[in-house]
Amino acid sequence: MLATLYVVHGSHPCATVKRALELKGVEHRVVEWPPAAHVVPQTLLFRRRTVPGLKLEDGDRISGSRAILRRLDELVPDPPLVPADGIARERVLEAERWGDEWLQPLVRRVLWWALDHRPTAIGSFQEHSTLPLPPAIRPLLTPAIVGVERRLNHVTDKGVRADLRDLPLALDKVDDWLRDGTLGGPGQNAADLQIAAGLRLLMTMEDLDGPFRERPAGELALRIFPEWDGHVPAGAFPEEWLRGLPVAPRSSGATRA
Ligand SMILES: N[C@@H](CCC(=O)N[C@@H](CS)C(=O)NCC(=O)O)C(=O)O
């Protein structure tokens, strides 16, 4: 099967789907759109403006990382991305949903806030981009891209401050899932791929990378995605916004975030 994956370079749900295709051994080509401008071709191709989208050999088009992973499990059952049945399946699907609906948007808000305040870091996120954009042109596009992304993702100071406050509890939740085996098993499941991609993108920000590395959640992200373009130097966020980090691992407790 030859599939076509439509992405924006560096997007965390795109990385999730790319890794799933690799795990399944599905032959695919990747079409990369410019960030922010991608909403136009994606809407035309998929009737939904977001990446990732996957076009199958028979012409079928699927939009959304979770829907794509479900379809991949139907098409290529082995290795499975979600356990076949029972409580284990429910747990993985719940963790995956959290990674998509809660973690994904938080990561975008935090990252675009940081890039708005450190625009020179944007180039580092495009290091392995295949777009034929001369490096000299890229800085000229930065203000427009950041402006659109801030609006698309409803990025505000108040919201990002709250997001950073929520992060320790979110890491606790991931560590709990690692402890009970929902995440971090011998094979990589759909929730591993979804959550690790979000955490890994957060770890491109040096203010967050240190504290995350100390945590099982951070180790998961690095194990699944050892390489990731992008680096926002320390000091992007006001110090008082980072209070609560670094976050030491808890020994036990219920999931809360
Ligand atoms: N949660 C969905 C949507 C992904 C999503 O929002 N992707 C971002 C890039 S990381 C996007 O295309 N944003 C454009 C927009 O919101 O219009 C998924 O996992 O596929």
Side-chain angles (χ1 to χ4, degrees):
M1 176 184 18
L2 176 64
T4 308
L5 176 63
Y6 295 85
V7 304
V8 164
H9 184 69
S11 145
H12 39 327
C14 293
T16 297
V17 171
K18 179 114 184 56
R19 183 53 51 88
L21 288 165
E22 287 161 5
L23 287 171
K24 297 280 191 187
V26 173
E27 199 188 338
H28 60 279
R29 68 185 187 104
V30 176
V31 173
E32 187 191 330
W33 304 123
H38 70 279
V39 298
V40 176
Q42 282 297 109
T43 306
L44 292 173
L45 281 172
F46 291 92
R47 298 176 184 213
R48 193 172 156 189
R49 62 186 206 194
T50 56
V51 284
L54 187 73
K55 190 168 149 216
L56 298 173
E57 215 167 14
D58 62 6
D60 201 9
R61 293 170 196 191
I62 313 140
S63 171
S65 57
R66 280 194 285 161
I68 294 171
L69 265 57
R70 288 308 81 75
R71 178 62 75 83
L72 288 178
D73 260 349
E74 285 166 17
L75 293 170
V76 185
D78 204 40
L81 296 169
V82 180
D85 48 32
I87 290 186
R89 180 177 180 85
E90 286 312 308
R91 283 186 173 158
V92 169
L93 290 175
E94 184 205 335
E96 183 198 34
R97 188 165 48 245
W98 178 86
D100 179 351
E101 294 177 357
W102 192 88
L103 183 63
Q104 256 192 39
L106 176 146
V107 174
R108 288 186 199 101
R109 289 189 297 269
V110 172
L111 179 70
W112 286 110
W113 191 97
L115 290 177
D116 191 22
H117 291 77
R118 293 286 183 276
T120 51
I122 287 195
S124 66
F125 286 80
Q126 294 300 312
E127 194 183 337
H128 293 93
S129 161
T130 56
L131 283 181
L133 271 183
I137 301 289
R138 291 181 185 179
L140 305 177
L141 302 175
T142 299
I145 292 172
V146 172
V148 172
E149 291 289 354
R150 272 197 79 135
R151 271 195 302 281
L152 283 177
N153 296 299
H154 312 289
V155 179
T156 62
D157 288 3
K158 194 171 165 216
V160 169
R161 192 171 186 176
D163 286 337
L164 292 172
R165 248 196 324 261
D166 285 344
L167 270 182
L169 286 181
L171 291 177
D172 285 350
K173 194 175 180 77
V174 175
D175 285 353
D176 285 341
W177 276 325
L178 282 162
R179 256 192 303 274
D180 75 15
T182 303
L183 300 176
Q188 294 168 9
N189 67 36
D192 287 315
L193 301 183
Q194 184 72 247
I195 291 173
L199 296 177
R200 186 66 183 84
L201 185 47
L202 284 175
M203 291 173 78
T204 59
M205 290 168 264
E206 207 175 321
D207 285 331
L208 306 179
D209 177 74
F212 277 40
R213 269 174 200 272
E214 304 301 314
R215 302 284 302 239
E219 285 165 22
L220 175 79
L222 288 171
R223 178 158 57 77
I224 296 185
F225 296 104
E227 310 293 336
W228 198 290
D229 280 357
H231 178 240
V232 181
F237 300 102
E239 231 173 87
E240 71 265 26
W241 291 18
L242 297 170
R243 230 169 267 148
L245 300 168
V247 275
R250 285 183 306 125
S251 50
S252 65
T255 58
R256 286 171 294 171

